[in-house]
Amino acid sequence: KQKEYLQAIKLSGDALIVLINDILDLAKVDAGKMTFEQTPFKMALSISAMLHLFETKIQEKNLELVKEYDPKIPDVLIGDPVRLHQIILNLVSNAVKFTTKGKITVSVRLLKEDKKKATIEFAVTDTGIGIAESKIGNIFENFQQASSNTSRLYGGTGLGLAIVKQLVEPQGGSITVKSKIDEGSTFSFVLSFLKTDAQAESEVGIQELDDEIKNIKVLVVEDIALNQLLMKTLLDDFGFERDIADNGKIAIEKLQAKSYDIILMDLQMPVMNGFEATEYIRNKMNSKIPIIALTADVTTVDLAKCKSVGMNDYIAKPVDERLLYSKIVGLVKKPSFIKHNGSEEDVNIEIKKSKCINLDYLIKRTKANPLLMMEMISLYLEQTP
Ligand code: ADP
């Protein structure tokens, strides 16, 4: 019973996190704040690493994943690999979701190439439930699902494809869908990428990339034991090395003693919170180490504050593991360790005495009865070691 309940909570949590991230993305598009990077990256590696994420899910559903990659595609191209991931991730997620038997084919084909750029067609084909002809026209609109029972049967909100369209078109691309009910669907999009002689940020083969990814050293700054355990489990699953710091001050000490590739930073913590710690790391230590904020509160106020103190990105709690993985891998470039020879004077951090516990509510509830208060506090401590 408990397992069932936990499963239900987990599913609801996962669904909510997807919804929040989708709405944030759409809000970003509406506000004209969606930006696209232009960085050299290796297309083949990028695609393989992403399809990796679906292996378990595809095996679980007894489906087959076929990858067709055109060897004529130039090795290194200039574009936004993170957004490309997001587009393909959405399309493959849908393909997996709406297919119960058969296969999912991801094909990446060179359409044309000139001196400056390469135009590539990406297609995700499934043998799933398909979409009725009458519905195909609306499928890329916000909150549109192909039938009224889609949400009940498969979940989802109808935002994924709207976002995909908003990620493809502003980059000068186009997206189309062909589908036949009960036979399957093909979503394909065309994007152009500039060619370059520059080396991609990770000049390594797929096996090496895997090793490199495995060697990512993550510093988790988080005060709540349960959240620490969750992050440990996630990062261990990814095969990353990880250290935990209970607050910003300990994080800074750890940073001075050892090099890390990325920091996952909680915001609200005793002794030194995430904003203060980031400010210190950026301004006093002059470190550019990527920092992702872990936040339960994705209001614009907090996000703006994250940005202003120099955090690179944020992720909403409870953390979606795929998103966490892609954000970490996306931000960790080639191992560029920042060595700090922080001397004792540098570590002159002011420790603020903060009051961590507020007993007002307890006093009110127990009408200040000391025995009852003691009992509640003991129980609380027992349950929250
Ligand atoms: P969501 O998946 O959250 O419902 P999307 O915007 O990703 O939202 O998709 C919108 C709708 O398009 C889905 O609800 C579904 O009806 C239809 N759809 C998308 N991809 C597929 C697919 N591969 N096969 C069948 N139907 C699909």
Side-chain angles (χ1 to χ4, degrees):
K1 255 276 145 352
Q2 286 188 345
K3 256 194 183 162
E4 271 172 37
Y5 286 145
L6 280 177
Q7 192 66 25
I9 293 170
K10 169 89 170 69
L11 283 177
S12 315
D14 285 349
L16 264 180
I17 212 79
V18 171
L19 178 62
I20 290 176
N21 284 322
D22 280 356
I23 291 178
L24 282 174
D25 272 340
L26 274 183
K28 223 179 194 177
V29 171
D30 281 346
K33 296 274 166 60
M34 184 65 85
T35 48
F36 297 94
E37 270 192 34
Q38 292 286 317
T39 37
F41 72 104
K42 283 197 155 181
M43 179 69 79
L45 277 185
S46 203
I47 303 278
S48 310
M50 194 200 39
L51 293 182
H52 231 42
L53 295 174
F54 287 95
E55 272 166 11
T56 330
K57 187 88 200 164
I58 285 178
Q59 266 170 17
E60 267 172 27
K61 290 191 79 173
N62 257 330
L63 299 171
E64 191 192 343
L65 177 69
V66 181
K67 190 178 105 184
E68 291 167 357
Y69 191 86
D70 189 344
K72 292 196 293 295
I73 296 173
D75 259 9
V76 181
L77 291 165
I78 293 183
D80 191 330
V82 176
R83 297 293 174 207
L84 182 66
H85 269 202
Q86 204 176 349
I87 298 167
I88 301 181
L89 213 79
N90 257 304
L91 297 181
V92 180
S93 294
N94 277 348
V96 175
K97 184 161 82 169
F98 294 109
T99 307
T100 44
K101 63 173 196 288
K103 62 181 181 191
I104 288 156
T105 311
V106 177
S107 91
V108 187
R109 221 156 48 87
L110 183 67
L111 280 190
K112 58 177 192 260
E113 183 181 7
D114 57 28
K115 267 196 174 151
K116 280 196 177 143
K117 61 181 203 282
T119 305
I120 298 176
E121 182 195 60
F122 304 80
V124 179
T125 304
D126 63 55
T127 52
I129 61 169
I131 304 165
E133 219 180 308
S134 58
K135 299 288 178 187
I136 283 191
N138 309 338
I139 219 78
F140 290 103
E141 287 169 22
N142 293 355
F143 299 108
Q144 284 296 332
Q145 298 191 308
S147 70
S148 51
N149 62 9
T150 302
S151 162
R152 185 169 51 79
L153 293 175
Y154 300 94
T157 53
L159 287 175
L161 289 178
I163 292 170
V164 164
K165 192 175 156 85
Q166 297 287 358
L167 292 176
V168 172
E169 291 183 347
Q171 298 193 75
S174 59
I175 178 154
T176 51
V177 51
K178 283 202 202 100
S179 186
K180 220 171 185 176
I181 211 121
D182 291 334
E183 285 186 18
S185 320
T186 298
F187 285 85
S188 43
F189 62 98
V190 177
L191 278 179
S192 293
F193 298 86
L194 288 175
K195 299 206 296 190
T196 176
D197 293 330
Q199 302 236 309
E201 240 124 34
S202 59
E203 265 304 313
V204 277
I206 179 75
Q207 196 49 47
E208 286 170 79
L209 179 89
D210 274 352
D211 286 347
E212 187 190 312
I213 287 179
K214 289 241 146 59
N215 286 333
I216 291 180
K217 296 194 203 82
V218 185
L219 178 61
V220 180
V221 193
E222 165 70 66
D223 59 323
I224 310 230
L226 183 63
N227 289 342
Q228 290 179 351
L229 181 63
L230 279 172
M231 291 308 288
K232 270 188 207 164
T233 320
L234 278 178
L235 296 172
D236 285 351
D237 260 6
F238 298 158
F240 296 167
E241 275 183 45
R242 41 85 188 153
D243 262 345
I244 310 279
D246 284 331
N247 59 50
K249 181 175 175 280
I250 298 174
I252 287 168
E253 286 162 7
K254 284 192 182 281
L255 266 180
Q256 275 154 344
K258 193 174 153 187
S259 58
Y260 293 91
D261 298 311
I262 190 159
I263 301 177
L264 302 179
M265 180 82 81
D266 185 26
L267 299 180
Q268 307 301 335
M269 288 176 294
V271 185
M272 186 186 228
N273 70 33
F275 299 116
E276 294 165 330
T278 305
E279 263 180 335
Y280 189 93
I281 292 166
R282 292 284 183 255
N283 301 332
K284 296 263 163 53
M285 296 175 72
N286 284 323
S287 164
K288 290 196 170 60
I289 184 167
I291 302 180
I292 301 180
L294 300 169
T295 170
D297 178 9
V298 283
T299 55
T300 39
V301 182
D302 257 9
L303 296 187
K305 209 168 157 195
C306 284
K307 215 172 155 196
S308 74
V309 295
M311 292 184 178
N312 302 69
D313 205 343
Y314 67 90
I315 184 158
K317 287 199 272 191
V319 170
D320 174 78
E321 64 178 277
R322 278 197 202 155
L323 197 69
L324 179 70
Y325 184 88
S326 67
K327 289 204 168 184
I328 293 180
V329 175
L331 276 171
V332 175
K333 306 272 159 87
K334 274 295 274 183
S336 55
F337 299 128
I338 302 123
K339 266 258 167 270
H340 294 288
N341 319 311
S343 57
E344 280 304 302
E345 303 94 83
D346 288 340
V347 206
N348 195 7
I349 308 149
E350 206 185 314
I351 304 169
K352 284 197 198 118
K353 270 221 152 73
S354 57
K355 203 173 147 200
C356 302
I357 297 171
N358 180 339
L359 296 178
D360 293 355
Y361 183 74
L362 184 70
I363 292 170
K364 213 164 86 192
R365 273 283 80 81
T366 57
K367 304 199 171 66
N369 172 343
L371 274 182
L372 198 52
M373 277 173 76
M374 280 296 282
E375 200 182 348
M376 284 205 173
I377 292 174
S378 311
L379 257 180
Y380 171 78
L381 288 178
E382 214 172 276
Q383 288 180 359
T384 320

